[in-house]
Amino acid sequence: MADTVLTSGLARPQAMRLAAWRPRRQTMLAFSLLAPSLILLTLFTYWPVIQVAWQALHNQIRIGGPQTYVGLANFAALFADAAFRKALSNNLLYAFGTVIPSLVLALGFAMALARSSRVNALLRSLFFLPVLIPLVAAASIFLFIFLPNAGLLDYHLAKLAISGPNWLGDPDIALWSIMGLTIWKNAGYYMLFFLAGLQAVPADAYEAAILDGANPWQRLRYVTLPYLKPTIGFVLVIGLINVVTQVDHVFVLTKGGPSDSTNLLLFYVYQQAVESYDAGRAAAGTLVMLALLLAISASSLRTLERSFGEREP
């Protein structure tokens, strides 16, 4: 109303200029508010990515030395390297063997401990405790557990007259042992998201399902899981990103061995950059990891959007 009175009191050209200026002023205000975040994002995200892309196209014999343009030669050498292909396949197996079991365990913990009680509060704290332990410290604990013949796991297996394998020294078992640590570490963390998601499930939906004669499995299948789809999608994204970005436990437990059986992508990049001083190949490997993360994030966000769309009335 005030705007109508104001514009009616102005000459028509002046009112038109004022109307044209308002969107531009709002745009300038929006950019001024976003400027600090855009500057930080450019300095600490986009600029490093540009530097890595530049490094991937060049070779550098020593740090600070001259760079030689080699085109896509670093990428060709990367995919020709059997160690990289092994790390890539290990990462895929590691993702399959850790994300889904962690997610299922976390959902089970959350459903079992959703009700408010002192015992459940204590158990929730116990399950969440591994999240508070740094990954390096957790790996050190598991190093003691997996110690051949004298570790905690072999000690209890010996009581059952079972001889445990070399958990971290056998190429067929080492990666699965590391998966056990990852599942133990992440399940409690994901449980928190499912506990929050369960709070959003309306009680009358369960009551209606019970009146319809639904058994516990049918209530889980047709009531709980549909409401938890956005949470499941979100946890899936976090889990897949962690699979690519976490490597501390590999460094502590096996250093990628034996025979590269536990080598993961990020540890391979570390080896190329720090141990082999091959910055070009390490940069190429980093870009491949970045492309994987972007693909995972894009597909997961699309799934999340569809899930939220299905929830809208």
Side-chain angles (χ1 to χ4, degrees):
M1 184 66 170
D3 291 344
T4 305
V5 173
L6 180 61
T7 51
S8 63
L10 297 172
R12 185 176 180 80
Q14 187 178 357
M16 292 177 63
R17 285 197 298 272
L18 183 60
W21 165 249
R22 279 175 183 161
R24 280 184 289 176
R25 187 177 59 180
Q26 291 175 350
T27 303
M28 292 174 62
L29 176 62
F31 274 105
S32 63
L33 294 174
L34 289 173
S37 299
L38 289 175
I39 292 172
L40 292 176
L41 198 63
T42 302
L43 286 177
F44 297 106
T45 301
Y46 298 137
W47 180 242
V49 171
I50 293 172
Q51 285 186 311
V52 169
W54 174 269
Q55 186 68 58
L57 300 175
H58 294 76
N59 269 347
Q60 190 174 24
I61 298 175
R62 56 183 173 81
I63 298 176
Q67 293 180 324
T68 306
Y69 178 75
V70 295
L72 299 177
N74 284 322
F75 290 94
L78 184 72
F79 285 101
D81 188 356
F84 172 75
R85 296 197 300 272
K86 180 67 175 175
L88 186 60
S89 65
N90 284 343
N91 238 126
L92 293 175
L93 180 61
Y94 182 71
F96 179 78
T98 58
V99 175
I100 300 300
S102 301
L103 192 146
V104 172
L105 269 180
L107 179 59
F109 291 158
M111 294 184 64
L113 305 176
R115 289 186 179 179
S116 178
S117 69
R118 291 184 179 179
V119 175
N120 284 353
L122 176 63
L123 291 176
R124 285 197 294 263
S125 302
L126 289 176
F127 287 133
F128 186 72
L129 187 61
V131 182
L132 303 177
I133 302 175
L135 191 52
V136 173
S140 301
I141 294 172
F142 271 70
L143 194 62
F144 170 72
I145 292 175
F146 289 139
L147 200 63
N149 300 321
L152 196 61
L153 189 55
D154 278 1
Y155 172 77
H156 289 289
L157 287 177
K159 288 185 174 181
L160 302 173
I162 299 175
S163 178
N166 190 346
W167 300 100
L168 299 175
D170 188 335
D172 296 328
I173 298 176
L175 186 60
W176 295 98
S177 302
I178 292 178
M179 290 180 193
L181 162 61
T182 306
I183 294 170
W184 173 79
K185 187 92 172 59
N186 290 339
Y189 178 51
Y190 301 156
M191 176 189 69
L192 290 185
F193 296 105
F194 286 121
L195 283 172
L198 288 173
Q199 301 297 319
V201 182
D204 54 357
Y206 286 121
E207 293 171 0
I210 291 172
L211 288 176
D212 289 339
N215 58 37
W217 165 250
Q218 290 170 327
R219 292 199 293 273
L220 172 67
R221 171 69 179 83
Y222 297 106
V223 178
T224 305
L225 292 181
Y227 276 97
L228 287 181
K229 280 176 68 176
T231 307
I232 294 172
F234 179 71
V235 171
L236 198 59
V237 174
I238 293 178
L240 291 173
I241 291 174
N242 285 340
V243 161
V244 182
T245 57
Q246 291 182 346
V247 74
D248 313 48
H249 51 323
V250 174
F251 185 85
V252 173
L253 290 174
T254 61
K255 292 183 172 58
S259 304
D260 285 330
S261 62
T262 60
N263 201 355
L264 301 179
L265 283 177
L266 188 55
F267 191 75
Y268 174 85
V269 170
Y270 163 80
Q271 286 178 315
Q272 297 303 314
V274 178
E275 297 178 1
S276 301
Y277 301 104
D278 192 341
R281 191 178 300 190
T286 303
L287 287 182
V288 171
M289 286 177 49
L290 186 61
L292 286 174
L293 287 174
L294 285 175
I296 291 171
S297 302
S299 61
S300 303
L301 285 175
R302 185 174 299 175
T303 304
L304 283 175
E305 287 176 355
R306 278 203 299 267
S307 298
F308 278 115
E310 291 175 1
R311 288 279 304 277
E312 292 178 356

